[in-house]
Amino acid sequence: LYPHGAFDHTIPEIMLDPFKELTIVDYGNIGVDPMSSERSIVHLADMVEEIAKTGAIPILVGGDHAVLYPHIVGMARVHGKGNFTVIHVDAHADNSGSTFGHYVHIGSMNRLAIEEGWVKKGNIIQAGMRSPAAYNREYVLWWAENGHMFMGAEFRNRGFREVTREIAEIIKNGPGKVYISIDIDC
């Protein structure tokens, strides 16, 4: 990268040089049908499974948040159904049911992950929900029954460190592996 070690890549907060500790590979773009989540999910799940089978940690960037569902499916095929915790950082609940006749869509993936058994109840965390359009009574009650919900206001009122400590405790009591999804709106 730089001749003669002219640049130190160490991240000072954790004293780690990622280029010495990690191998990073750009696997390229995963083809999707931009007009149909349903037509894309099988291919997306297959590609995530292919990457995860190598022992690599898939890091996926981009796409609407409907891609979370096939990412979870691909990870579960490798690590087993219910064998990881999902942390969903998003301003929206993304736990609605079928909408306009579509089962898989931008707002259904958390519900699908639980209903289909890819993620066990209690092993899914919603962090940062804030938008009035993001939730209603049904969505909030769903989170209370199926996982853990931390509204955006909790981060402001209780503090980021306190809320993330609580999330860390939930993870410690979970199955061990973690899948993190971060939506740009949060």
Side-chain angles (χ1 to χ4, degrees), residues 82-125:
N83 286 333
F84 56 94
T85 298
V86 171
I87 301 173
H88 180 244
V89 181
D90 196 332
H92 303 92
D94 291 346
N95 63 347
S96 65
S98 181
T99 303
F100 300 116
H102 294 279
Y103 180 65
V104 179
H105 57 83
I106 195 168
S108 67
M109 57 279 189
N110 291 317
R111 182 179 296 267
L112 297 177
I114 295 291
E115 287 180 353
E116 295 180 359
W118 301 108
V119 178
K120 287 182 185 173
K121 282 186 176 189
N123 289 342
I124 190 165
I125 300 165

Side-chain angles (χ1 to χ4, degrees), residues 39-172:
R39 291 179 58 185
S40 299
I41 60 173
V42 173
H43 178 63
L44 283 165
D46 289 347
M47 294 302 293
V48 170
E49 177 183 10
E50 183 178 310
I51 294 165
K53 275 184 178 176
T54 69
I57 300 169
I59 298 174
L60 301 112
V61 180
D64 75 36
H65 224 186
V67 300
L68 175 58
Y69 171 72
H71 294 176
I72 289 171
V73 171
M75 295 298 289
R77 288 181 187 165
V78 174
H79 299 291
K81 278 187 162 186
N83 286 333
F84 56 94
T85 298
V86 171
I87 301 173
H88 180 244
V89 181
D90 196 332
H92 303 92
D94 291 346
N95 63 347
S96 65
S98 181
T99 303
F100 300 116
H102 294 279
Y103 180 65
V104 179
H105 57 83
I106 195 168
S108 67
M109 57 279 189
N110 291 317
R111 182 179 296 267
L112 297 177
I114 295 291
E115 287 180 353
E116 295 180 359
W118 301 108
V119 178
K120 287 182 185 173
K121 282 186 176 189
N123 289 342
I124 190 165
I125 300 165
Q126 166 72 33
M129 200 162 61
R130 62 170 172 78
S131 170
Y135 53 89
N136 59 32
R137 181 179 170 81
E138 175 193 341
Y139 296 170
V140 171
L141 293 174
W142 184 92
W143 277 105
E145 294 173 13
N146 292 283
H148 307 271
M149 180 181 63
F150 298 91
M151 303 290 280
E154 279 188 76
F155 287 90
R156 288 188 303 278
N157 296 337
R158 292 175 48 203
F160 182 81
R161 287 177 192 241
E162 183 179 329
V163 175
T164 55
R165 275 190 204 112
E166 188 173 337
I167 291 171
E169 286 302 313
I170 294 167
I171 293 167
K172 285 179 190 175

